[in-house]
Amino acid sequence: MFTIFDDELDALARRSVAQQQEFHAGSWDGERLSAHQFENLRESLRYVRKRSPFYAGRLAGLTDAEIEGLDAAEFARTVPFTTKQDLRDQRYDMLSRPVSESWVFYETTGTTGPATPCPRDNTDSIINNAALTVAYRDIFEQHGDHHVVAVLGPTELHSTGDTFGDVCRNLGHAVVKMWPHSPVVGFERALHMLRELRVTAVFCTPGMAMSLAKEARKAGLDPAADFDLRLLMFVGELVTPKLLENLGGIWNARAYSCMYASQESSIVGTAHADGRLRTVPLNVYYEVIDPGTGELVAPDARRVRTGELVITHLYQGAKPLVRYRTGDLVRLEPAGDDGSPAQVLTPLGRVRDRIDLNGRTVTAYELEDLVLSRAPGCRDYHITIDREADVDVLAVDLDMPDTAAARDAHASLVAAAADAWGCPLTVRHTELGAITTTGAMVSWKAARVRDLRTASDPEHEAALAIARRRDAR
């Protein structure tokens, strides 16, 4: 209710909600959306050039007349990229408002490099949370009324608790925030709270859902039968459809990849009631580029673009980013004819997480999908890559019952890896340690893949350090 104390913020909140509701209902046509995007894109350029020390220098050669005349092609040709390294090097000089004009301060995890500041002002939170609230309303309504929602994520220096707490409050649902890895909470208490409060929905990472299921079974509980979960909202890691299906089956709940976002970029995609991630084009301008050349990717015959995602914020908050290279591979598909006007957005993993297997470039999405689509009921997995006799080979560790049906499925997995990448593959059944829970803190690859063909990298070492601390508890 803070907006009631500020007329301008109150008007912004009402306008943002109305626009998101109209767009979500299909009331915007392409011409109106394009006009909205380029009007606000130009405003963002003028805003950051005036307020951000970094962009004042980076965009110094861009005149007011050039900004006013920008179209998509000219924008891509004349405006340079912003990179993750820029964020690390420039830090507070990236900001368009001082921290004192923000309402909250966050930063990146800093597990593999210097943490970068990500403050939010009221504009940032209003614009982003309005989009999430409108999209999530349909999802929650499919699963009942008056949910008790657990947000299982850190709140200090991280936006997870504040964002989902605010959105659930907007929707009229009760919220409990807890972090099972905290020594104050712990998994035993978290599981107790989930049962005692009869929690019906959870926001967490896929790794957290796996860890909770493991701890529940250790305590003699059945995740599917002894809890009241109806809704799993996953964030923070790569999520393939098969992983959603497996984790949903473990907990007897519907699982969604609830958003695509980062501390730096805020909300870039949000789940819809159909289970798919979609863009938020009132807030973000999207480009897809070839990660090698930096050139815009042309749509294919189905009007699908696949490549590295580049975003520009269309709202003017504490830290708008212009042509920010996310480092993530995505697939952007047309909206389709199912009623939603937003494009379908499928994250495929980080550009740097691509893996060469016998001369074939494999994305994180492809690797996980091949494994889990042939491991029904898999509770966790880890992949080791090695090279033997000049051939790349795979070993897949699966946490799943070693049944006759599972062994039959393994034959399919072995055949699929050989057919797709020419890789001999072995399957092992084991209970995995905490390394697979570190994806949100470090990266999918550091958590899920050990590549023995290369020297250990800083991300893998960071993941191992986190895992050792968690295993020791």
Side-chain angles (χ1 to χ4, degrees), residues 112-151:
T112 58
T116 60
C118 303
R120 305 274 200 275
D121 70 1
N122 288 315
T123 295
D124 295 311
S125 293
I126 289 170
I127 295 291
N128 282 282
N129 293 358
L132 290 177
T133 301
V134 170
Y136 287 175
R137 184 182 300 279
D138 293 342
I139 294 176
F140 275 88
E141 286 180 350
Q142 288 182 336
H143 301 276
D145 301 321
H146 304 296
H147 290 272
V148 178
V149 183
V151 179

Side-chain angles (χ1 to χ4, degrees), residues 245-283:
E245 182 182 325
N246 283 1
L247 289 175
I250 289 170
W251 287 97
N252 191 30
R254 175 67 188 274
Y256 293 82
S257 175
C258 75
M259 69 159 65
Y260 167 47
S262 71
Q263 290 283 72
E264 300 101 323
S265 63
S266 293
I267 311 304
V268 178
T270 182
H272 282 230
D274 64 1
R276 294 191 285 185
L277 276 174
R278 293 181 181 272
T279 57
V280 192
L282 301 191
N283 299 356

Side-chain angles (χ1 to χ4, degrees), residues 457-472:
D457 60 39
E459 288 195 344
H460 182 70
E461 293 302 322
L464 284 175
I466 295 170
R468 291 189 193 103
R469 291 195 296 269
R470 290 180 176 177
D471 280 331

